[in-house]
Amino acid sequence: MPRWRIGSLLCAGAVAVGMGVGPAQAELPVEYSAFSGIRAELANPGGSMPGSNNWGCKPSAAHPNPVVLVHGGAGAGAQTNWGTITPLLINEGYCVYALTYGALDLPWPVSALGGMTGTAEQNARTIGSFIERVQAATGARKVDIVGHSLGTLLPNYYAKRFGGASRIDQYVSLAPVWQGTFGDQLATAREYAAALGVGPALEAVLAAQPTGKEAQTGSPLMVDLHSDGMYVPGITYTNIVTSHDQVVLPYTSGLLPGDGVTNILLQEGCSQDVADHLAIVADPRAAAYLLNALDPRHPRPVPCAAG
């Protein structure tokens, strides 16, 4: 079992119910643990988190935009990346959808590891098609995006270059890579693969994986996306970063200023939060900021927990 840094978790095995706001019914357990998505995948191989990808879900007046979750780079997936955020959002009354992009056409558990194949363009188009499917199923005019790591860049690529600008409303990014990274995009991939028991067999594939390389600072993709401004007019961006990020380097890559853009550093006002690149998706402080970004009319207190 790999070593996971899950610094800001309240308790590795703790289970909480919702964030206690408005009329939401906390029907699903919410576990603030980076392991929760791995356990979900092991319990339901190749499936979806409970309550997610419900193609009959109809958005409510309170939350008219379905939320599309876009996982990070090589190794992450629809369940493994979103064990905390999925039930949290469903309990709040959102229609929630998640895909695994860039998976190898091999039997499970390898098929659970997304971002393993395809260029940034190919994966952005795949994400775009998924967004369009969500809109068609729900009748929603727009979706909200919650992305992590490389999953913050690819939906934006779709919005900028492949016709998706009018389809996205709120865009919440966890550990975004807006200005590229000098870090190892495959570090967390190795942890996901090891947790599913397939780590050593995938080293050669990980080394050849293209999309992570395209997120490197100064790559042709990053130069292209910045050539006319990274952000897309009409989309509201919220960036949530941690100073303990060991993959997006420097972590300030995610603090890209822009008109109407909100940049949040977890450690500002809470130095004891030590969530790293992976743990940010299960961090109670990040989760509260995320919910406030999606529903700014009903803000809730943001906790500060020691790691």
Side-chain angles (χ1 to χ4, degrees), residues 268-289:
E268 186 172 342
C270 186
S271 59
Q272 57 265 52
D273 189 319
V274 293
D276 66 2
H277 184 78
L278 182 59
I280 195 171
V281 300
D283 181 69
R285 186 169 174 83
Y289 278 126

Side-chain angles (χ1 to χ4, degrees), residues 118-292:
T119 64
E121 177 177 342
Q122 291 167 335
N123 287 326
R125 289 184 182 275
T126 296
I127 292 163
S129 295
F130 187 79
I131 289 171
E132 292 164 23
R133 181 187 175 195
V134 169
Q135 286 183 286
T138 61
R141 189 173 64 88
K142 292 190 176 186
V143 304
D144 291 337
I145 297 293
V146 175
H148 174 230
S149 188
L150 188 62
T152 68
L153 191 66
L154 296 178
N156 203 57
Y157 190 14
Y158 161 69
K160 283 180 66 68
R161 299 290 185 253
F162 308 124
S166 65
R167 298 179 181 273
I168 299 172
D169 186 10
Q170 298 284 344
Y171 199 120
V172 184
S173 299
L174 299 166
V177 65
W178 296 130
Q179 300 173 81
T181 177
F182 294 106
D184 181 5
Q185 284 284 313
L186 303 181
T188 54
R190 294 186 179 94
E191 293 189 80
Y192 279 123
L196 290 171
V198 292
L202 292 181
E203 281 300 313
V205 176
L206 287 170
Q209 196 275 337
T211 305
K213 295 180 177 65
E214 291 183 274
Q216 293 290 303
T217 302
S219 72
L221 173 65
M222 299 305 296
V223 171
D224 170 59
L225 292 178
H226 278 280
S227 65
D228 54 352
M230 176 61 78
Y231 295 129
V232 178
I235 298 176
T236 301
Y237 293 87
T238 300
N239 303 317
I240 304 170
V241 310
T242 172
S243 62
H244 298 281
D245 201 317
Q246 78 280 37
V247 175
V248 176
L249 298 175
Y251 73 88
T252 51
S253 172
L255 299 175
L256 181 65
D259 292 339
V261 175
T262 301
N263 288 312
I264 297 169
L265 174 62
L266 288 180
Q267 286 72 32
E268 186 172 342
C270 186
S271 59
Q272 57 265 52
D273 189 319
V274 293
D276 66 2
H277 184 78
L278 182 59
I280 195 171
V281 300
D283 181 69
R285 186 169 174 83
Y289 278 126
L290 185 159
L291 290 176
N292 287 346

Side-chain angles (χ1 to χ4, degrees), residues 15-67:
V15 174
V17 286
M19 298 293 285
V21 174
Q25 299 298 314
E27 298 174 351
L28 296 173
V30 178
E31 184 181 1
Y32 291 95
S33 167
F35 287 105
S36 59
I38 294 288
R39 285 193 285 270
E41 182 64 40
L42 292 172
N44 183 20
S48 299
M49 292 289 298
S52 69
N53 292 341
N54 174 8
W55 299 100
C57 186
K58 296 303 179 185
S60 66
H63 301 304
N65 295 341
V67 179

Side-chain angles (χ1 to χ4, degrees), residues 4-11 272-276 279-280 283 305-307:
W4 296 68
R5 291 186 59 213
I6 53 175
S8 70
L9 308 184
L10 289 174
C11 179
Q272 57 265 52
D273 189 319
V274 293
D276 66 2
I280 195 171
D283 181 69

